[in-house]
């Protein structure tokens, strides 16, 4: 432990510090897809030993944000067009279900929270704050899942939250005004209890961003890094 670390800081708190810091940097695109993460340099910068740093990297790997490559160390996930396509496949189905259930089960307090999130997205859109737009829009989708009041669905969606926010940050040049209009329509359907309309709007809203996001992914991804090959090598090394 370095002198700058707080006295009594345990490995768990150091791991959480490393995890939170790296997760934020990846999701905010400060670290780019495919960028190498050098353990020695990160440990020194974050003032942690390699043990909690490696634990943090494994948590990030579980979220799909990091790839651990045998004999090469860690990389920010390349987030290839195939990864983006897979994410859209899942989101189109599960977010449609979430919107349907939210329309059927939401209460006044939950709708007020969703409206507040929508207002935050509108404000960010008006100001042109792309970071705030991405955060508010991703939060809007997360809030709908919470309104669905289905613990299993929440559990299934939680691992996608970081990748969805990451996608929103990497595709920040998409038309935020259009997304805001679609969110208003979706909110109104949920508030009106129109379950079928909410489900259809949610599906179409997610699907609407697929083509543009895939095109953008081709620009940021690292085609020389094959995550499937990396995963296969990890499986072969497993005991």
């Amino acid at each position: 432990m370095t002198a700058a670390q707080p006295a009594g800081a345990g490995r768990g708190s150091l791991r959480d510090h490393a995890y939170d810091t790296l997760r934020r940097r990846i999701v905010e695109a400060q670290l780019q897809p495919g960028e190498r993460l050098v353990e020695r340099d990160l440990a020194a910068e974050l003032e942690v030993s390699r043990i909690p740093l490696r634990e943090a990297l494994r948590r990030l790997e579980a979220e799909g944000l990091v790839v651990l490559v045998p004999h090469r160390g860690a990389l920010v996930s390349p987030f290839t067009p195939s990864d983006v396509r897979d994410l859209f496949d899942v989101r189109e189905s599960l977010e449609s279900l979430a919107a349907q259930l939210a329309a059927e089960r939401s209460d006044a307090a939950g709708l007020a929270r969703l409206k507040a999130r929508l207002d935050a997205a509108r404000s960010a859109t008006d100001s042109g704050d792309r970071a705030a737009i991405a955060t508010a829009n991703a939060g809007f989708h997360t809030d709908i899942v919470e309104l669905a009041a289905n613990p299993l669905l929440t559990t299934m969606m939680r691992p996608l939250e970081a990748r969805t926010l990451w996608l929103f940050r990497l595709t920040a040049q998409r038309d935020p005004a259009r997304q805001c209009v679609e969110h208003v329509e979706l909110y109104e359907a949920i508030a009106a209890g129109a379950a079928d309309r909410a489900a259809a709007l949610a599906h179409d809203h997610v699907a609407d961003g697929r083509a543009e996001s895939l095109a953008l992914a081709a620009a940021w991804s690292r085609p020389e890094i094959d995550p499937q090959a990396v995963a296969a090598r990890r499986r072969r090394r497993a005991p």
Side-chain angles (χ1 to χ4, degrees):
M1 184 180 300
T2 70
Q5 293 173 359
R11 193 173 87 188
S13 62
L14 296 176
R15 176 195 61 219
D16 292 344
H17 165 63
Y19 165 80
D20 290 340
T21 301
L22 292 175
R23 184 181 187 273
R24 185 186 72 253
R25 290 181 182 178
I26 293 170
V27 167
E28 293 181 355
Q30 296 175 27
L31 295 170
Q32 294 297 307
E35 185 171 339
R36 187 183 176 203
L37 302 173
V38 182
E39 284 189 10
R40 179 185 62 255
D41 296 343
L42 287 173
E45 179 186 354
L46 300 176
E47 300 182 328
V48 300
S49 70
R50 292 201 183 187
I51 293 176
L53 176 61
R54 288 170 181 168
E55 291 173 347
L57 290 172
R58 284 194 291 271
R59 287 179 63 186
L60 293 166
E61 181 186 34
E63 289 191 77
L65 301 181
V66 163
V67 177
L68 300 180
V69 187
H71 310 301
R72 290 183 58 189
L75 302 168
V76 178
S77 173
F79 211 8
T80 65
S82 293
D83 296 327
V84 174
R85 179 204 63 207
D86 293 345
L87 180 59
F88 271 93
D89 288 345
V90 174
R91 288 185 60 219
E92 284 173 13
S93 295
L94 294 187
E95 293 198 28
S96 176
L97 173 61
Q100 174 188 332
L101 295 177
E104 294 171 350
R105 301 177 180 180
S106 59
D107 55 19
L111 288 173
R113 290 193 299 272
L114 188 62
K115 179 63 163 54
R117 185 80 74 170
L118 182 62
D119 290 343
R122 281 171 165 169
S123 177
T125 299
D126 290 342
S127 67
D129 186 339
R130 293 193 179 275
I133 291 170
T135 299
N137 284 343
F140 180 81
H141 288 268
T142 299
D143 288 347
I144 291 175
V145 174
E146 292 180 1
L147 285 179
N150 184 310
L152 179 58
L153 178 61
T154 301
T155 299
M156 294 173 68
M157 289 294 294
R158 187 168 293 121
L160 304 181
E161 290 177 4
R163 273 174 281 186
T164 299
L165 178 55
W166 192 18
L167 177 68
F168 284 5
R169 291 300 298 268
L170 289 169
T171 58
Q173 56 266 63
R174 288 180 57 204
D175 184 0
R178 179 174 178 176
Q179 294 183 67
C180 193
V181 169
E182 292 175 355
H183 281 178
V184 170
E185 293 175 345
L186 181 53
Y187 166 79
E188 290 175 347
I190 292 172
D196 290 343
R197 175 167 170 73
L201 286 171
H203 176 276
D204 292 348
H205 171 61
V206 174
D208 183 61
R210 178 188 285 261
E212 188 173 1
S213 296
L214 285 170
L216 291 167
W220 79 58
S221 67
R222 295 280 300 278
E224 71 273 19
I225 301 172
D226 182 353
Q228 293 184 350
V230 168
R233 287 196 294 272
R234 284 204 305 272
R235 286 194 295 271
R236 286 197 295 269
R237 285 172 57 84

